[in-house]
Amino acid sequence: NTALKHVWDWFSLHANQRLVTLRFYLALNSAFLAAIGTAYASSFYLVSLVGSFLSFSITGIFFALDLRTQEQIKVAEAALVELEAALAKNASLHLLELQLISDRPEHKRWGSFRTLFQILFGIFAAVSFLSFLVSLGFLFCPAWAEGSG
């Protein structure tokens, strides 16, 4: 079926794009956080401040990209539900309604990619924001920086 192939290709494209984007984000932001840690250890607080700001900004940008990709995946999922329902009806086999079955609560024991990704983005955003605040403290309260070493 051409429609089913088209919808599946759309879904597959965006689902793969989402995972590739997440991997790139994790690698990029991990490098930033490593650089921030190195800057702290070397007492380069301005560098850690800028790195923290960039890390936080990158998290926001990638979060927005992920939201857009989620929308594209949901479009494909909605079309898959309809196409699978028609296929199941024609074949008199309701087990072909895979998307509908996978959305049932008993098949969502471990949460969704959306939830897991949001947790990851939240953790990275919190770490970046906290390191930004600490960097500000070190820059504008020299006694604080002296007391840390």
Side-chain angles (χ1 to χ4, degrees):
N1 188 326
T2 306
L4 188 57
K5 181 180 177 347
H6 172 70
V7 172
W8 181 254
D9 288 347
W10 175 277
F11 174 83
S12 181
L13 169 75
H14 291 289
N16 287 329
Q17 177 186 23
R18 187 175 191 200
L19 293 175
V20 168
T21 303
L22 179 71
R23 278 187 291 233
F24 179 69
Y25 164 75
L26 290 173
L28 180 65
N29 218 3
S30 294
F32 265 101
L33 293 177
I36 292 164
T38 302
Y40 279 135
S42 303
S43 300
F44 294 130
Y45 302 122
L46 184 59
V47 173
S48 66
L49 180 77
V50 171
S52 299
F53 176 77
L54 290 174
S55 176
F56 188 78
S57 299
I58 287 169
T59 297
I61 291 166
F62 276 85
F63 180 73
L65 285 171
D66 187 60
L67 288 177
R68 177 64 179 144
T69 306
Q70 280 180 45
E71 291 171 358
Q72 299 301 311
I73 291 170
K74 289 291 180 194
V75 166
E77 287 175 345
L80 280 172
V81 166
E82 285 191 34
L83 289 169
E84 287 175 349
L87 186 63
K89 184 177 178 184
N90 288 342
S92 298
L93 187 59
H94 292 287
L95 290 176
L96 292 175
E97 296 181 81
L98 302 174
Q99 186 64 42
L100 195 60
I101 292 169
S102 71
D103 281 343
R104 291 181 187 160
E106 65 267 21
H107 295 288
K108 291 189 172 191
R109 292 184 191 111
W110 301 105
S112 65
F113 277 110
R114 177 182 179 185
T115 303
L116 296 173
F117 286 11
Q118 287 176 342
I119 290 169
L120 274 174
F121 286 126
I123 289 169
F124 274 93
V127 169
S128 299
F129 185 70
L130 288 174
S131 68
F132 180 81
L133 293 178
V134 170
S135 297
L136 278 176
F138 284 151
L139 279 173
F140 294 108
C141 300
W144 192 24
E146 291 169 10
S148 70

